[in-house]
Amino acid sequence: MRKTIIAGNWKMNGTVPESTALIGGILNAGVAGGKVEIVVCPPFTALESAGKLLKDSGIGLGAQNMSEHKSGAYTAEISAEMLLTLGVTHTILGHSERRQYHFETDDRVNRAAKAALAAGLTPIICVGETLEQRDSGDTEKTVGDQIAGTLAGFAADLLKKTVVAYEPVWAIGTGKTATPEMAEDVHRFIRGKIAALDKEAANLVPILYGGSVKLGNAGGLLTQPNIDGALVGGASLKVDDFVGIINAL
Ligand code: PGA
């Protein structure tokens, strides 16, 4: 059985006091330790305080990105080791906002994912098509290339420790969501692509959906056979909304 994961991507939101309040609210809601694996991904500056609050809580702590390098002259970059010492367990990689505004490529994501796995962090690798690509019938080509590129050279044992997030770019922060059927089609396609790399891994890799997930649409999406959880942006910034999505499961 695959894990069900609800991860909150806070993006560039949350000072340390704000993050502390949000995590306090999630802890108070008593949702940890159930059948859903919960991960919160605050900004880098709040990871240390978040790590202290979440220690032994059963809730995972994710970074929103990570360097592919171990250390050295890479100004403003953050390494796996730095994250590990703060209690970080996961890292988002290749989010479409990183691809769009910071020109991140599948190659870079691939190298960073390998570095994360080597250090014992779980990468959450994001893929997804733009509206233009969907409208021109290129969804599978785009997502297929992103899966092939980001997972290139992964041995089966590493593949099995990886999480993938399908986030159609046109659905992120726009209020537009893929219908459960549209999302399921792409999730099934992604699982097929992973199966071509390793069959057993394909059954184990959780594939999360992301893009305007909220309380009202989470149920329909998360009951699809190949949707194993959600990467939640906007709705992860309010305790009631985030906890509501977890409880809906
Ligand atoms: P959203 O963001 O839920 O605000 O659309 C999701 C994401 O970008 O991970």
Side-chain angles (χ1 to χ4, degrees):
M1 269 304 286
R2 286 189 293 275
K3 287 186 212 167
T4 303
I5 303 173
I6 301 292
N9 174 13
W10 295 8
K11 309 194 180 187
M12 198 173 71
N13 295 292
T15 59
V16 170
E18 285 164 353
S19 304
T20 301
L22 187 43
I23 288 175
I26 298 168
L27 288 171
N28 281 338
V31 282
K35 64 181 166 96
V36 178
E37 186 174 323
I38 305 165
V39 182
V40 292
C41 307
F44 286 126
T45 45
L47 286 174
E48 181 171 14
S49 56
K52 287 179 184 152
L53 289 170
L54 292 174
K55 194 165 187 281
D56 302 323
S57 69
I59 296 181
L61 179 62
Q64 298 174 15
N65 198 13
M66 197 197 91
S67 172
E68 73 258 46
H69 302 291
K70 277 204 156 147
S71 63
Y74 302 102
T75 301
E77 290 292 283
I78 306 284
S79 73
E81 193 191 350
M82 294 169 184
L83 296 175
L84 281 169
T85 56
L86 302 179
V88 171
T89 52
H90 293 66
T91 182
I92 298 172
L93 291 172
H95 189 279
S96 64
E97 287 150 17
R98 299 299 311 174
R99 293 173 184 266
Q100 185 181 351
Y101 306 127
H102 303 276
F103 313 107
E104 291 199 7
T105 61
D106 291 332
D107 263 5
R108 200 225 58 104
V109 174
N110 177 260
R111 289 192 297 274
K114 284 175 180 158
L117 286 161
L121 292 169
T122 301
I124 303 175
I125 298 180
C126 302
V127 298
E129 81 288 1
T130 62
L131 188 57
E132 231 176 16
Q133 288 163 330
R134 174 162 284 267
D135 286 347
S136 51
D138 288 335
T139 298
E140 290 197 350
K141 160 106 183 67
T142 306
V143 172
D145 286 352
Q146 289 172 336
I147 289 289
T150 55
L151 301 181
F154 273 47
D157 62 321
L158 293 187
L159 209 49
K160 287 176 193 165
K161 293 180 189 155
T162 299
V163 175
V164 170
Y166 168 57
E167 299 204 306
V169 179
W170 50 270
I172 295 178
T174 57
K176 290 182 195 157
T177 347
T179 63
E181 294 73 25
M182 278 159 87
E184 170 61 17
D185 279 350
V186 183
H187 279 239
R188 195 186 319 106
F189 171 77
I190 291 172
R191 201 171 304 287
K193 283 273 155 198
I194 300 172
L197 300 171
D198 187 86
K199 265 218 170 77
E200 208 185 314
N203 285 324
L204 292 172
V205 172
I207 306 177
L208 317 184
Y209 173 80
S212 300
V213 174
K214 41 185 179 280
L215 196 48
N217 59 25
L221 287 159
L222 295 168
T223 45
Q224 296 297 315
N226 285 292
I227 301 185
D228 307 308
L231 183 53
V232 185
S236 71
L237 295 171
K238 291 196 192 108
V239 175
D240 289 352
D241 292 356
F242 189 59
V243 165
I245 293 170
I246 297 163
N247 282 332
L249 291 165

